[in-house]
Amino acid sequence: MSRLARSLARSSPTWSLPAPARTAVLALGAQSALALCYLWATPAGLSTPAMLAVPFVWVTVAAVAVRHARRPAGSRRVRWLAAGVGVAYALGLAWLMGGISPTTGATSGVDVALLPPGWGPALRYRGAELSLTLLPYRLVGVATLGYLLSLSVRDVAESGLSAGLGGLFALGSCAGCALPLVAAVGGALGGAGLGLGAAPTIGGGTYLVGTAAYLLAVGLFVSRPGRYIVR
């Protein structure tokens, strides 16, 4: 290589994707590979493009948020308290979404519904008191929202409400919790049920509304107005 070429190579600016974008690309690649394996190994079919996109959006956003959200330190007691709040919220969200419900009828057992990728494989369990319907993308999304809420709780504990707007904004970001709940109730009223043995449908757009609410909630949790995404 000539001296001029080496000089140009050293002086040329290097460019790379931001870290969150790289995480998103990796998450999309992993999901695509898993979806192809799932379709190859099972008789599960495909759905409409919009329905297929919903799980990819939820899981990709979850991966980026969990990987790059700011993690306040906090004492062990604060971390346990925050984790408890996050778990309680996730369970409440799963209940309103229909993932957890009281058992109706006398039958019990476990089965797997081979729904389209992301929606399936859906694990369904019916016990004496409770029934569970676990769709992969919603399981990831609900767990992510619970985890992000726990980070917000730790942020408030770290900054303190008396510290000013930073703590207040961090607490106020929890208003995003209500958005997926409203969408979930709307989906239930619209008849877009889950775990009924049939492939899910748009149900008048309730799943798309739920996805928009999920994105907004994750954005509020991650940004925690006055805080910023890092690394």
Side-chain angles (χ1 to χ4, degrees), residues 23-230:
T23 301
V25 170
L26 290 174
L28 285 170
Q31 291 175 83
S32 299
L34 289 174
L36 290 174
C37 293
Y38 173 64
L39 291 172
W40 176 79
T42 69
L46 295 174
S47 185
T48 63
M51 292 300 293
L52 286 175
V54 166
F56 279 85
V57 171
W58 278 58
V59 175
T60 301
V61 169
V64 173
V66 171
R67 171 65 182 85
H68 299 285
R70 178 182 178 274
R71 295 169 179 79
S75 65
R76 177 177 295 182
R77 181 180 179 182
V78 167
R79 291 198 298 270
W80 277 106
L81 174 63
V85 172
V87 169
Y89 169 63
L91 291 175
L93 189 58
W95 181 278
L96 288 177
M97 282 184 168
I100 303 174
S101 60
T103 296
T104 56
T107 59
S108 62
V110 179
D111 71 311
V112 176
L114 299 178
L115 302 179
W119 298 89
L123 176 65
R124 297 180 295 188
Y125 165 76
R126 183 184 295 272
E129 301 293 336
L130 292 176
S131 296
L132 302 178
T133 303
L134 304 180
L135 291 94
Y137 88 91
R138 285 206 166 180
L139 180 62
V140 171
V142 167
T144 296
L145 288 172
Y147 175 69
L148 294 177
L149 174 58
S150 73
L151 295 184
S152 290
V153 173
R154 287 162 57 179
D155 203 5
V156 171
E158 179 186 63
S159 301
L161 294 180
S162 61
L165 292 179
L168 291 174
F169 280 142
L171 181 61
S173 70
C174 297
C177 303
L179 299 174
L181 300 182
V182 172
V185 173
L189 295 177
L194 298 178
L196 301 180
T201 60
I202 290 293
T206 52
Y207 287 112
L208 299 182
V209 171
T211 299
Y214 169 75
L215 294 176
L216 183 55
V218 170
L220 288 171
F221 278 131
V222 171
S223 63
R224 299 200 288 277
R227 303 292 187 181
Y228 299 94
I229 205 164
V230 298

